[in-house]
Amino acid sequence: MTAAVVSTAGLTKQYGDTTALDGVDFTVPKGAIYGLVGPNGAGKTTLLGILAGLRTPTSGTATVNAASVRVLPDTPKFDPWLTAREVVELARTLTAPDSPPTDVDEVLDAAGLLDNAGRRVRGFSRGMLQRLGIAAAVVGDPDLLLLDEPAAALDPAGRREVLDLVERLRGRATMVFSSHILDDVQQVSDEIGILRRGSLIYQGSLEGLLAGRRATSYVITMRSGHEAALSALAAAPWTAEAVLGDDGILRVVVNDLEMAERELVPLLAGLGAPIVSVQPHRESLEDVFLEVTR
Amino acid sequence: MTLWRLEWLRLVRSYRWIILAAVFGFFGILGPLTARFLPDIVERFDESGMGMPEMGPPDGITQYVGSAQQFGLIAIAFVAAAALAIDSNTELSVFFRTRASMRDLFTPRFVVNSLAGALAFTFGAAIAYIGTGILLEWLDFGPFAIGVALQCVYLVFAVAVVGLAASIVRKTISTAVLAIGALILLGILTVVPPIAPWLPSDLAGALDGLIRGGDFEYWRALAVTVVLIVVLPIIAINRLGHREV
């Protein structure tokens, strides 16, 4: 079993009458990229703040088995009169003074900022600040990185760059990556936790969350013969529900996937109808998220 | 890049040292000029014929101290607050708090800004002293130097008050305003005779008193101020260290 870098037990945080975290039991395995998902106000930032030592829990415990922990806020800011190289050099001096100074340019290069290393931070775009934040966070090779909505405020190109950076850090550090952008989490995480109103309602692998939800429905596009197909599909023993949409597309929910995979296509072929496509509908993390957080 | 160098760069690159030097330097020039020429100017425009009492050499310094205690102190409070209000910006605060202890963060900010304030005051006082010597009469350097040193101790105390204020409120402006309010309140308390000699505010009048030949009666205020210069930052560090961001 992989050792846990982070574990919490009954973690609760209250701000007055508001419960931000409600008995969260949370485990992050070593080396994982852990996606912490939840709508705004779910308690993600509070949880990361407690793990970083910036906030204290009202009750419960949080254990962090990491010698060095770095936090990247959602919109990192730095003293505007420092250059990018000075920001990373400051981070290195404070966190890993024994690491070689050449590490500074190395992480700036990895973040795509080496050409701007001598520029003052004042003129940096959001995307550049985010990449600089990551460079400052990874210099000195921390054991645990807490990334709070690292791509939320960026345009698509900036998001892509940041996600690529996170992906490249895989294996170098354990990461907890909070986001309400599910696509981002799906792209980089191998473990996820879903927070809703302060409670952790799912924790485990992404595969585990989506398993059993795959291809439980089919989307069928035909040129004609919709009514006949609808009747035939509704009568099939493996069909749970068959619906013809206003868009002329048939949606079939199945209750026996194995039988459906074997019999659906022959059934449609037997009708002699002109079929454009038969697609299994794979539930995305977003579908599952909306379902479990409803 | 150490936290000490960071504070030096904060002063230099954000031009805060220029603000301090300009404010104190300006009043350092204005003080002796006012002492030398204000009576003449008033006499020229005064139709009542009452005029203005003649000003002596100490008045060149008195004019400087009066202005420096007001505008200079405000400038120091805002410059120090900009550095000591560590939690004014949450993201910056997270960067520093997750990388260094509060004592390591606070100490260079307190020391560098205290030195900057004291140096700026000394710079203005030196200009006022030289200007007074040229325009009026040279004053004894000994009492002047001791007075400047005591004023500097008071300014370091003022920066310590700013540090404490930063542990009570978060934003730069509210930190500076709270500290200035506390210093004004302390100044008002000097009207209470039994406690006046013990208050740090007593040091604010030391330079003026000493150059006018007054006795050195500031031991009690000096002792209290030095203790507070040590104690207030410790309280501030403790409070800031326990604050959630």
Side-chain angles (χ1 to χ4, degrees):
Chain A
M1 186 179 167
T2 314
V5 172
V6 175
S7 59
T8 70
L11 199 66
T12 300
K13 178 68 179 178
Q14 288 199 271
Y15 298 110
D17 293 336
T18 307
T19 302
L21 291 177
D22 188 7
V24 171
D25 297 326
F26 170 72
T27 307
V28 180
K30 189 167 192 236
I33 300 183
Y34 190 106
L36 191 58
V37 188
N40 290 332
K44 303 185 295 293
T45 300
T46 299
L47 180 54
L48 294 185
I50 290 173
L51 298 180
L54 297 166
R55 301 180 193 195
T56 48
T58 307
S59 64
T61 57
T63 308
V64 177
N65 294 314
S68 51
V69 183
R70 303 283 168 270
V71 185
L72 181 70
D74 54 349
T75 52
K77 289 194 177 76
F78 308 98
D79 288 311
W81 33 265
L82 288 177
T83 65
R85 183 177 280 116
E86 285 169 339
V87 167
V88 180
E89 175 58 26
L90 177 65
R92 186 194 70 82
T93 312
L94 293 176
T95 57
D98 297 333
S99 64
T102 50
D103 281 4
V104 172
D105 277 7
E106 206 173 281
V107 295
L108 282 167
D109 192 23
L113 287 171
L114 197 55
D115 291 342
N116 292 290
R119 263 183 68 193
R120 290 197 185 175
V121 172
R122 179 174 282 117
F124 275 26
S125 68
R126 271 187 173 181
M128 290 168 82
L129 284 173
Q130 200 69 272
R131 284 185 280 139
L132 179 58
I134 293 177
V138 300
V139 71
D141 285 325
D143 299 319
L144 175 63
L145 265 174
L146 306 174
L147 310 172
D148 189 7
E149 305 265 8
L154 304 178
D155 59 23
R159 267 178 64 200
R160 185 69 266 153
E161 288 172 351
V162 167
L163 292 176
D164 286 348
L165 259 177
V166 170
E167 185 61 47
R168 286 208 297 272
L169 291 169
R170 189 185 292 277
R172 284 178 67 179
T174 303
M175 282 181 269
V176 180
F177 174 102
S178 90
S179 181
H180 64 269
I181 303 173
L182 302 167
D183 193 41
D184 293 355
V185 174
Q186 198 160 10
Q187 283 182 54
V188 297
S189 305
D190 34 39
E191 289 273 324
I192 72 160
I194 300 179
L195 269 176
R196 184 186 63 178
R197 293 187 209 126
S199 298
L200 194 67
I201 57 175
Y202 175 81
Q203 173 167 240
S205 69
L206 198 57
E207 294 290 310
L209 181 67
L210 297 174
R213 296 171 191 272
R214 282 186 179 163
T216 54
S217 64
Y218 288 86
V219 178
I220 303 161
T221 309
M222 305 168 74
R223 294 207 193 282
S224 60
H226 296 90
E227 293 300 334
L230 182 64
S231 302
L233 287 167
W238 36 265
T239 299
E241 187 184 17
V243 180
L244 178 60
D246 293 340
D247 50 3
I249 292 173
L250 275 163
R251 289 179 177 80
V252 183
V253 181
V254 301
N255 51 28
D256 186 333
L257 184 60
E258 207 172 304
M259 275 186 79
E261 284 176 346
R262 211 167 36 237
E263 296 183 12
L264 174 64
V265 173
L267 184 150
L268 292 171
L271 293 171
I275 299 166
V276 177
S277 67
V278 176
Q279 290 179 310
H281 175 65
R282 289 174 184 267
E283 290 210 62
S284 67
L285 178 57
E286 189 164 337
D287 297 325
V288 178
F289 175 77
L290 290 172
E291 185 186 317
V292 299
T293 58
R294 195 173 292 148
Chain B
M1 173 71 73
T2 65
L3 290 168
W4 291 94
R5 178 161 166 72
L6 181 75
E7 286 319 299
W8 167 248
L9 291 179
R10 190 191 307 281
L11 268 181
V12 174
R13 289 195 188 162
S14 63
Y15 306 110
R16 285 168 196 170
W17 73 273
I18 293 179
I19 294 170
L20 292 177
V23 169
F24 283 96
F26 173 73
F27 289 115
I29 293 168
L30 197 64
L33 284 175
T34 307
R36 171 66 183 82
F37 297 110
L38 192 60
D40 295 344
I41 295 166
V42 170
E43 193 177 305
R44 180 166 296 178
F45 294 100
D46 180 27
E47 293 176 354
S48 69
M50 290 172 67
M52 189 178 170
E54 200 61 30
M55 286 191 172
D59 290 309
I61 303 295
T62 304
Q63 293 289 324
Y64 166 69
V65 171
S67 304
Q69 286 303 343
Q70 295 171 36
F71 302 104
L73 196 61
I74 291 170
I76 287 176
F78 273 93
V79 167
L84 289 166
I86 289 168
D87 297 327
S88 181
N89 182 300
T90 305
E91 289 79 10
L92 258 178
S93 170
V94 167
F95 177 84
F96 286 113
R97 279 174 174 269
T98 54
R99 289 174 171 84
S101 71
M102 187 48 66
R103 192 188 63 180
D104 289 347
L105 288 177
F106 188 93
T107 306
R109 292 168 191 244
F110 171 64
V111 172
V112 170
N113 282 281
S114 295
L115 279 175
L119 277 174
F121 179 86
T122 306
F123 170 68
I127 292 174
Y129 181 80
I130 293 166
T132 299
I134 293 169
L135 294 173
L136 298 159
E137 189 181 312
W138 290 97
L139 294 164
D140 283 348
F141 185 74
F144 168 78
I146 294 169
V148 168
L150 291 175
Q151 296 274 163
C152 287
V153 173
Y154 175 70
L155 292 177
V156 174
F157 164 74
V159 175
V161 172
V162 173
L164 184 65
S167 74
I168 297 168
V169 291
R170 286 178 191 253
K171 293 294 174 189
T172 300
I173 291 177
S174 44
T175 298
V177 169
L178 179 63
I180 291 166
L183 292 169
I184 290 172
L185 189 67
L186 272 177
I188 292 170
L189 285 177
T190 55
V191 300
V192 184
I195 60 166
W198 296 93
L199 293 174
S201 320
D202 202 38
L203 298 182
L207 178 55
D208 189 43
L210 290 171
I211 57 166
R212 289 179 187 280
D215 293 332
F216 191 97
E217 295 170 333
Y218 303 102
W219 287 114
R220 286 168 292 183
L222 182 62
V224 170
T225 307
V226 169
V227 169
L228 289 174
I229 285 171
V230 175
V231 170
L232 295 187
I234 291 172
I235 296 171
I237 289 167
N238 193 25
R239 286 178 57 86
L240 285 165
H242 285 89
R243 181 192 271 173
E244 292 191 0
V245 293

